[in-house]
Amino acid sequence: MRNIRLMIKEQTPLYIFVAVLFLVGVIFGALIVSALTLDQQQDLGEYLGSFFVTVDQQVLPADTGSFWAIAVLHLKWIGLIWILGLSVIGLPGILILDFLKGVLIGFTVGTLVAQYSWHGMLFALVSVAPHNLVLIPALLVCSAAAIAFSLQMIRSRVLGQRRPSVNRPFAMYTMLSLSMALLILGVSSFETWVTPAMMRWVTPYLIFKS
């Protein structure tokens, strides 16, 4: 664990870089909402209205099947980032994934706010924000580690620089990714059993407004 903490400290500039890239994606996603046509906004409003009614009427508690569906969805991001970090050509893919994740969150929150004003912001705070406060940093940590390992591969394989064996960096990179994967399992538990209850608490306000 000490080696992993040291690795994280050394990669601080990469964390800043991927965080800025993610924030740019969030801003871009929010701007997309304002660029939608009136018909597209109306379609989104109708879809959200139906979604809120479904959430409000859902009385069955979530089961383990729901948990694994959510967990697998998040773990796919971790797994894809890890795989891209192993290849020399995977670096652009990691950056695209971070930017895309920001776009998705920015578009989601922007749509809720555009459609429902502060009620939409309240819904975003209980449905989008809680688990993403842990999920996004975990993804960014994995992304920074993947970029660092990919750069090391580029220096040793493409540029032909003499570098120490990649066995230890690979082991640390994999251990870090597995640690983030375990953290995401905990986040998925929260998203499965706690977030729906919080959403049902807020949805009556949005149904009334719609």
Side-chain angles (χ1 to χ4, degrees):
M1 293 301 295
R2 182 177 179 274
N3 290 333
I4 291 179
R5 288 196 296 267
L6 181 61
M7 182 179 68
I8 291 176
K9 184 177 180 180
E10 292 175 348
Q11 294 171 358
T12 299
L14 290 177
Y15 299 143
I16 296 174
F17 174 74
V18 294
V20 170
L21 181 64
F22 169 77
L23 290 175
V24 171
V26 171
I27 296 172
F28 185 78
L31 292 176
I32 291 177
V33 177
S34 61
L36 296 176
T37 65
L38 182 60
D39 290 339
Q40 290 172 328
Q41 293 178 10
Q42 290 176 345
D43 291 340
L44 273 176
E46 293 175 359
Y47 171 79
L48 288 173
S50 301
F51 172 75
F52 293 140
V53 170
T54 301
V55 171
D56 187 59
Q57 294 177 348
Q58 186 178 3
V59 294
L60 294 176
D63 54 16
T64 54
S66 301
F67 164 76
W68 284 113
I70 293 173
V72 168
L73 179 63
H74 294 324
L75 290 174
K76 284 181 179 178
W77 283 84
I78 294 290
L80 186 55
I81 290 172
W82 181 79
I83 291 173
L84 290 172
L86 297 178
S87 62
V88 174
I89 61 174
L91 182 58
I94 299 169
L95 302 180
I96 291 173
L97 285 178
D98 291 336
F99 179 78
L100 180 60
K101 191 66 174 180
V103 171
L104 292 174
I105 292 179
F107 182 81
T108 301
V109 175
T111 299
L112 288 169
V113 173
Q115 294 287 335
Y116 296 97
S117 187
W118 72 271
H119 287 100
M121 178 59 72
L122 178 61
F123 186 82
L125 288 175
V126 301
S127 63
V128 179
H131 61 274
N132 276 305
L133 288 176
V134 179
L135 176 63
I136 296 305
L139 291 176
L140 296 183
V141 167
C142 289
S143 297
I147 292 172
F149 189 78
S150 181
L151 289 175
Q152 186 173 7
M153 295 288 288
I154 291 173
R155 287 192 294 265
S156 61
R157 301 291 176 83
V158 178
L159 301 181
Q161 296 181 4
R162 288 188 176 183
R163 307 291 295 180
S165 173
V166 297
N167 292 336
R168 185 177 179 183
F170 172 75
M172 294 174 60
Y173 168 50
T174 302
M175 286 179 58
L176 179 65
S177 298
L178 289 175
S179 299
M180 294 300 104
L182 291 175
L183 182 61
I184 283 178
L185 290 178
V187 173
S188 300
S189 299
F190 182 92
E191 191 176 355
T192 301
W193 285 287
V194 179
T195 299
M198 298 170 66
M199 291 167 60
R200 284 193 291 271
W201 174 67
V202 175
T203 47
Y205 298 98
L206 289 92
I207 294 173
F208 175 76
K209 188 178 186 302
S210 59

